[in-house]
Each structure stands twice: as C-alpha cells, then as structure tokens.
C-alpha cells in the first residue's frame, strides 16, 4: 500500500497536465483546420478577384468610350488613294453637252502624308487626270503636288485642310506642256474607322495655268480651273 500511494499521487498530479496537453493539441488541430478553411476561402476570393479582373479588362476593351476615339498622333504616316470627278469651270459648260469646250473628266490620285504634330502634316501626291474635248480629243494631265495639311478632329471625324503646289505634265492633241504649274487648295471630311483606316470625301479647286507668254510672246496665257470631288481612303501606319 505504501508503494501504491506515491504512484497514485503522481498520477493525480500529472493527469490534468496530460489532459490539458491533449486539449491544446486538439485546439491546435482545430486552429489548423480553421486556417486551412481560411486559406481555401482566400484562394476562392483570389480566383474571384482574378475573374473580376479579366471581366473588367474585357469590359474596358469593349467599352464604347475606350475605343470610340482613334486619334491621329505625331509620327503617324498615311497613304491616300482617291478617285475624283472633275468639273472644268472656265471652258464653257462642264457637263457633257454641246456648249462646253472641255467636258467633265476624272482623276485618280495616290498620296502620302507624315504627321509632324497631331494636327499638322506634310506630304506629296501624284495623279493621272483626263478630260474630253468638244472635238473628241482628250486632255491628259499628270500632277505632282507637295502639300501642307492642318487637320482638326472631333472624336473619329477628321477635317483636313490642305494647300498644295506643284508641277504637271499636260498633253493635248499630240502637244505637250511641261512644267505646268499646279495650285491646289483642298478641304475634306473623313471618318476614322479604326486606328488603321479612314474613309471620306475631299473637295479641291485646282488651277492649271499655262503661261504661254513666258515662252512665246505671240501666245496667250490659259488658266485651267477645275473643281474636283473625290472619294478617298487613307491607311495609317
């Protein structure tokens, strides 16, 4: 009995400690589970955040406000292709009737512009034009023009205002004239479809003076004047 009594006392003293340790171990396990659940929740929310970010990104990319304006910037370049109808204004009636000396004609033009500013560009273009005459002949001309352009814009609409000057090769009835002076003020309205393309309409007043008296005192000066209405497309790069 004397030997058992110390053992019982020791058991009595250490039992609460063991029980408390087991309890705390269980509590640690509980906390670990709780931590695991919290991690899972965090992962879930992170996934939702990632999903929200992708959804927000797609919304911003497709948002009308973010893509409606395709603004031209300094350093942009563009190539312009245009087809125009031209109306001679000082050769009688320009329409295809008997009282006109030079009939309505057409011209195709290929041009290039470089934007030094968002609103200012310099460039050059070359074209090939023709007009039929009262006698069934054809007046051909090939203008080469350099120009400066001021281009204000409102959202996707561009309003180029250009002033060009250059030279032209002119031929009529086996006779040619070179170099002929070209003066070409021009205005237009263009719609920029996206960052690469715009389409629109240009109207110009082209003057082709033939200064015959400069070369021959017996000749006379002739000032060809044309109103041209062009449909055009521009490719930006």
């Amino acid at each position: 009995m004397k030997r058992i009594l110390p053992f019982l006392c020791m058991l009595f003293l250490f039992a609460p400690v063991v029980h408390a340790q087991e309890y705390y171990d269980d509590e640690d396990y509980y906390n670990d589970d709780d931590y695991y659940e919290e991690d899972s929740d965090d992962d879930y929310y992170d996934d939702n955040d990632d999903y929200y970010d992708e959804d927000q990104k797609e919304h911003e990319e497709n948002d009308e406000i973010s893509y409606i304006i395709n603004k031209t910037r300094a350093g942009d370049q563009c190539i312009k292709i245009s087809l125009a109808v031209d109306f001679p204004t000082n050769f009688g009636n320009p329409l295809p009737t008997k009282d006109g000396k030079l009939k309505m004609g057409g011209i195709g033009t290929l041009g290039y512009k470089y934007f030094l500013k968002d609103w200012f560009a310099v460039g050059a273009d070359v074209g090939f034009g023709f007009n039929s005459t009262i006698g069934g002949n054809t007046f051909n001309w090939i203008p080469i023009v350099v120009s400066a352009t001021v281009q204000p814009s409102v959202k996707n609409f561009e309003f180029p205002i250009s002033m060009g000057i250059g030279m032209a090769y002119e031929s009529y009835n086996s006779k040619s004239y070179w170099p002929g002076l070209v003066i070409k003020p021009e205005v237009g309205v263009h719609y920029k479809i996206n960052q690469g393309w715009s389409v629109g309409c240009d109207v110009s007043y082209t003057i082709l003076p033939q200064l015959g008296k400069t070369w021959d005192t017996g000749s006379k000066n002739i000032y060809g004047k044309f109103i041209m209405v062009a449909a055009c497309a521009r490719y930006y790069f």
Side-chain angles (χ1 to χ4, degrees), residues 74-235:
D76 283 357
Q77 305 172 68
C78 75
I79 295 174
K80 183 176 89 168
I81 300 174
S82 67
L83 293 175
V85 176
D86 73 72
F87 301 91
T89 62
N90 61 333
F91 295 95
N93 189 349
L95 299 177
T97 59
K98 292 182 179 180
D99 57 345
K101 296 180 180 179
L102 196 62
K103 308 296 184 181
M104 181 176 63
I107 181 171
T109 302
L110 178 65
Y112 166 84
K113 290 188 184 298
Y114 181 85
F115 283 83
L116 299 173
K117 301 286 186 181
D118 297 351
W119 52 271
F120 181 73
V122 293
D125 57 68
V126 59
F128 179 82
F130 67 91
N131 295 83
S132 60
T133 69
I134 191 172
N137 296 313
T138 302
F139 169 66
N140 294 315
W141 51 296
I142 303 174
I144 302 170
V145 177
V146 295
S147 62
T149 301
V150 174
Q151 181 172 284
S153 62
V154 178
K155 293 186 178 181
N156 283 12
F157 287 94
E158 302 170 329
F159 304 94
I161 304 169
S162 301
M163 183 64 194
I165 188 168
M167 300 179 295
Y169 174 83
E170 304 168 27
S171 66
Y172 168 73
N173 198 19
S174 301
K175 296 180 180 180
S176 62
Y177 181 78
W178 169 262
L181 179 64
V182 181
I183 302 170
K184 183 182 179 183
E186 182 177 67
V187 297
V189 178
H190 294 205
Y191 180 79
K192 202 162 187 185
I193 301 171
N194 52 45
Q195 200 60 34
W197 287 95
S198 71
V199 294
C201 177
D202 290 334
V203 178
S204 63
Y205 186 71
T206 302
I207 303 172
L208 298 175
Q210 290 187 356
L211 305 177
K213 288 185 177 181
T214 304
W215 317 107
D216 184 357
T217 56
S219 299
K220 63 180 181 177
N221 295 333
I222 301 173
Y223 298 92
K225 300 175 183 179
F226 303 83
I227 293 176
M228 296 191 291
V229 181
C232 57
R234 298 198 292 185
Y235 172 69

Side-chain angles (χ1 to χ4, degrees), residues 4 8 17 45 53 56 59 61-62 98 100 155 160 172 187 198 210 218 229 234:
I4 296 175
L8 292 175
V17 176
Y45 286 122
D53 290 343
Q56 182 68 15
H59 173 71
E61 289 176 349
N62 295 326
K98 292 182 179 180
K155 293 186 178 181
Y172 168 73
V187 297
S198 71
Q210 290 187 356
V229 181
R234 298 198 292 185

Side-chain angles (χ1 to χ4, degrees), residues 62-74:
N62 295 326
D63 189 357
E64 183 179 3
I65 295 175
S66 64
Y67 71 78
I68 191 170
I69 299 176
N70 297 294
K71 186 174 177 59
T72 303
R73 298 174 176 84

